[in-house]
Structures are given as C-alpha cells and as structure tokens.
Amino acid sequence: MQLKNDLILRAARGEKTERTPVWLMRQAGRILPEYRAVRNRLSGFIELAQTPELAAEVTIQPVDILDVDAAIIFSDILVIPEAMGLPYEMVEKRGPFFPKVVNTLDDLKKIKIADPKTDLGYVLEAIRITKKELNGRVPLIGFAGAPWTIFSYMVEGSGSKTFSRAKKMLYTAPEFSHRLLQMITDSTIVYLKAQIEAGADMVQIFDSWAGILSPQHYATFALPYIDQICKAIEEVPVTVFAKGAYFARKAMGELDCQTIGLDWNMDVQESRQLIGANKTLQGNLDPCALYGSFKDVEKATKEMLNQFGPHRHIANLGHGVYPDIDPEKVKCFINTIKEHGF
Ligand code: CP3
C-alpha cells in the first residue's frame, strides 16, 4: 500500500522533506477525552490493549484529532514480560504491578523467550486492523521497551524512583543479569519482526530508565543489547530513545539505527556533534512547555525547530505527553511545526 504521507520515513532515512514531520510520544490515550470514552466501556487499560478493534480505534484517534504525521500502535512495553511468563496489572493511579518477579538464576527457568504469534497475537491483529483502517494516510510506528528498562520491571515488580533492586542485580549478580537481558533481547527481536510483518512501518525502542545507570553500566548492560536489536532489524527504520542517557550519545551515533530520540535535557547542537551527521534526531521540547500560553508554546516550538534545522529532524516532545495537558496546546505545537516553513 502506497503511503500518502511518508514524511517521517523519509526524514528517518535522511532524505529531504518539504517540512519537518511531527508526532508525540504517548499520543494515543492519556490526553484525549475520546480515548477515555472508549476505555470507560471496558475494565481498564489491559482489556483495551487486548481488544484489537478498539486498540486500533484509539491508535487512529490522534491522527484524526491532532493530525500527526504518524500513528503509534496502542499497547505497552510491558506486554513482553507478560509474554515471557510474568503477567502484569495496571493499578489505577499507581501504574504497573507484577505479582511475580525474577531474582535468581533458578527463577529464569520459569520464564521463556516470547512467541509473538501465540503470546502477542492481539498486538499483531491490532496492527493489521490499524493499517487497514489508516488506508495509507500516515505510517504506523511499532515499539518495544529496551532490554534494560524491561529488566527493571521484571526484577523490581513495579515502577520505582531509584530502581535500586534492579540496579543491585547488575552489581551483585552479573551472570543472572546478562542471562535475563539476553532473553529479553531475543524476545524483543522476534516481537519487533512480527510487528513489522503485520504492518509496522518503523519501530521505536524506549529505554525509559536509561538515565539511572552509570555510564559504565550503560555500556555493559544496556547498549550491547540495544545494538543486537538494531542489527537484527533491517526491514524498517529504527529509532532509539534512551531517556537521560546524555553520557551515551557518542556511542549511540555508532548504533545501526536511523534515528536517535533526545530528551529535553540534551542540548541540540551538542547532541548533533556527539551523534554525528548520519542519524536523524527526534525530539525534544520539554513536555511541560505545553502548560504555557498559546503564544509561549508557539515561541518554544519555533525555537526548537530552528535549533534542529531543516534536515534529519522528526519533531516530538522530549518524553511522553503528560495526561493533564490541554489537547488544544498539543494542536498548537503541531500546527506551529506544520506552518514553520521547514
Ligand atoms: O505512545 C502511545 O500513545 C502508545 C501507547 C503506549 C503506552 N505505553 C500506553 C499506556 C506506549 C508507547 C507506552 C510505553 C511505555 N509504557 C513506556 C515507555 C515510554 C515512557 O513513557 O517512558 C513505559 C515506561 C511504560 C510503562 C507504563 N505503562 C507505566 C509506567 C504506566 C502507568 C502510568 C502511565 O504512564 O500512564 C503505563 C500505563 C499506560 N500505558 C497507559 C497508557 C495509555 C495508561 C493506562 C490507562 O489508560 O489507565
């Protein structure tokens, strides 16, 4: 199927674009009343994610309502631990919770490499339906968590300010850590390939907890596994977003991926210098900038665009959009980008 708008794919490959493409991390759900209306018909997030027709519907909502240049499939990074044998719950206002975790080499015998066709068929079906309903309007982004971030949840069992139990494993049980990271990596590669086969036009790897590791641990326990994933995915452009990993930008320039996501702490010119000219950069407005007035949002957005310049940039926030942001401010961000002139 020929895409009517392939700006984001061309930008990722380093080709010239008429203007900068834009989408938002966490654009599906969260800020849209139309999302909450669909979600309230069900028991919660997990049931919605596991109902392909409705997951497709909320995936397309931001394309209809916000007019973004890409859709991202409605799912979660935590479907991988579940497919490996650790189911999760979403506790209202508190976030994810895993009744079972892994902490020892023995525990690893109770989990397995994910089989996307049997364990994650609902995501693949949601992708197929979304692609059909999008009918080529914009590309569809598939995604997965990076091995270190998924490891954190599988060891810790929930979110955490410090993830100190997960980090403790890197110091005290390196063999366990590498074995689990490899199992997650193997699961993620087959999962992303299955998403691409089902129709995903590009994929993003979210390393949300990258910034809590030391540079040495990031080089030992995170980057080599991301590198394996990048090398294995040759079919479509790959984006790596490692939040807080400012210390790893030079090394990320060496990854076999097309796009590097920047958070709002990372200076744009400095990042370009460290990462090099051969990658597209994605980001990086502070999500809180959208709390400002319409005039402020417009000004901050233009400043961001001018910092990145006209080539190899995909506009986005520096992390996911916050749930209490006014969708009209998001529209202001998007429209300013579309009208900027590049
Ligand atoms: O980007 C999108 O809009 C597509 C869907 C998507 C979700 N989660 C849906 C979701 C994506 C790409 C994610 C990624 C994700 N999930 C990350 C990486 C990105 C990041 O923000 O750093 C992480 C760390 C998670 C784990 C997770 N899922 C947490 C901590 C929570 C609870 C708090 C929160 O973010 O809302 C979730 C729940 C979740 N995932 C919701 C949605 C729409 C909210 C559930 C609800 O509707 O109540």
Side-chain angles (χ1 to χ4, degrees):
M1 152 94 53
Q2 188 74 26
L3 285 161
K4 294 177 191 93
N5 172 350
D6 65 349
L7 283 172
I8 197 169
L9 299 180
R10 281 191 279 140
R13 291 192 213 104
E15 295 165 20
K16 278 222 165 88
T17 52
E18 307 78 79
R19 64 165 174 85
T20 303
V22 56
W23 69 286
L24 278 84
M25 290 186 276
R26 312 297 298 271
Q27 68 188 17
R30 279 199 155 179
I31 53 164
L32 296 178
E34 292 84 353
Y35 163 75
R36 282 191 287 276
V38 176
R39 188 185 176 285
N40 287 343
R41 305 201 319 245
L42 304 168
S43 64
F45 168 80
I46 294 181
E47 192 187 348
L48 176 49
Q50 293 181 351
T51 309
E53 291 76 16
L54 295 179
E57 185 180 334
V58 298
T59 298
I60 296 170
Q61 281 176 348
V63 179
D64 289 335
I65 300 164
L66 305 172
D67 208 14
V68 280
D69 293 310
I72 179 162
I73 191 67
F74 185 81
S75 181
D76 201 88
I77 61 169
L78 302 176
V79 300
I80 277 290
E82 174 162 80
M84 293 176 71
L86 300 183
Y88 67 105
E89 299 162 10
M90 276 298 174
V91 185
E92 199 66 43
K93 297 214 156 48
R94 297 202 49 198
F97 173 72
F98 290 83
K100 269 193 310 179
V101 295
V102 281
N103 282 302
T104 64
L105 279 169
D106 225 34
D107 288 343
L108 297 184
K109 294 187 190 128
K110 296 178 216 149
I111 59 169
K112 58 168 185 129
I113 312 287
D115 175 356
K117 293 232 158 65
T118 55
D119 305 319
L120 295 158
Y122 61 92
V123 182
L124 307 180
E125 183 59 13
I127 290 176
R128 284 188 286 266
I129 296 172
T130 303
K131 280 295 286 181
K132 212 162 128 209
E133 291 181 355
L134 276 175
N135 196 23
R137 283 165 67 194
V138 292
L140 176 63
I141 303 170
F143 70 91
W148 156 248
T149 288
I150 297 300
F151 174 100
S152 311
Y153 284 103
M154 292 179 77
V155 168
E156 200 85 32
S158 66
S160 155
K161 270 214 175 90
T162 57
F163 279 100
S164 53
R165 274 179 293 179
K167 284 178 72 178
K168 177 181 168 189
M169 288 298 179
L170 307 184
Y171 285 98
T172 62
E175 190 195 341
F176 162 87
S177 299
H178 280 297
R179 293 245 319 254
L180 177 54
L181 286 162
Q182 191 60 54
M183 289 181 80
I184 298 167
T185 302
D186 294 345
S187 301
T188 304
I189 289 171
V190 287
Y191 178 43
L192 288 175
K193 281 186 177 286
Q195 291 187 47
I196 294 162
E197 204 187 305
D201 299 292
M202 63 192 293
V203 294
Q204 174 155 326
I205 301 165
F206 286 91
D207 208 355
S208 305
W209 309 122
I212 63 173
L213 291 184
S214 69
Q216 291 77 5
H217 270 180
Y218 202 71
T220 307
F221 294 105
L223 268 178
Y225 297 98
I226 292 176
D227 194 42
Q228 282 187 42
I229 298 170
C230 290
K231 286 203 163 72
I233 306 295
E234 295 176 313
E235 303 86 338
V236 299
V238 177
T239 301
V240 175
F241 173 61
K243 175 145 193 318
Y246 60 90
F247 48 79
R249 282 175 293 177
K250 199 166 187 316
M252 284 195 278
E254 312 284 307
L255 289 171
D256 268 319
C257 69
Q258 284 63 40
T259 302
I260 301 291
L262 305 183
D263 69 43
W264 67 92
N265 287 142
M266 298 173 181
D267 179 79
V268 175
Q269 274 87 38
E270 184 187 62
S271 301
R272 178 51 85 193
Q273 225 165 25
L274 287 165
I275 293 167
N278 292 330
K279 297 271 186 276
T280 295
L281 301 180
Q282 175 172 279
N284 74 340
L285 188 70
D286 181 353
C288 289
L290 301 188
Y291 289 121
S293 68
F294 287 104
K295 243 180 102 194
D296 292 341
V297 171
E298 213 181 295
K299 184 162 172 277
T301 306
K302 285 182 176 167
E303 277 169 14
M304 173 195 77
L305 287 165
N306 290 333
Q307 279 176 4
F308 281 97
H311 301 302
R312 297 217 82 157
H313 178 217
I314 297 171
N316 207 311
L317 300 176
H319 197 188
V321 61
Y322 296 138
D324 62 343
I325 294 286
D326 176 358
E328 292 303 319
K329 296 286 168 57
V330 175
K331 284 188 200 165
C332 176
F333 172 69
I334 292 165
N335 291 337
T336 305
I337 293 159
K338 292 190 167 175
E339 288 157 15
H340 188 65
F342 63 74

